[in-house]
Amino acid sequence: MTDARTLLLLDDDDVFASRLARALAARGFEVTRAASVAEALAHARQESPEFALVDLRLPDGHGL
């Protein structure tokens, strides 16, 4: 069993999301990335992460 806190990172900016995911992983988070609202919803329904960090402006909707 892992002590990492699970976090879903939703952002369509690949460079920004990669850097942020690495920084969060270094701080003890198990990060799963999604680049679209549809992808994030599918993951959240399947895995139910403890935390979510979301972009508010996305091509297929918004992070809220």
Side-chain angles (χ1 to χ4, degrees), residues 39-52:
E39 185 181 355
L41 287 173
H43 176 75
R45 287 184 182 118
Q46 185 177 32
E47 299 294 326
S48 189
E50 294 175 88
F51 302 96

Side-chain angles (χ1 to χ4, degrees), residues 13-24:
D13 182 332
D14 188 52
V15 174
F16 174 74
S18 292
R19 288 184 175 190
L20 186 54
R22 280 195 306 269
L24 291 165

Side-chain angles (χ1 to χ4, degrees), residues 21-34:
R22 280 195 306 269
L24 291 165
R27 287 163 178 78
F29 287 93
E30 182 181 316
V31 180
T32 300
R33 290 179 48 198

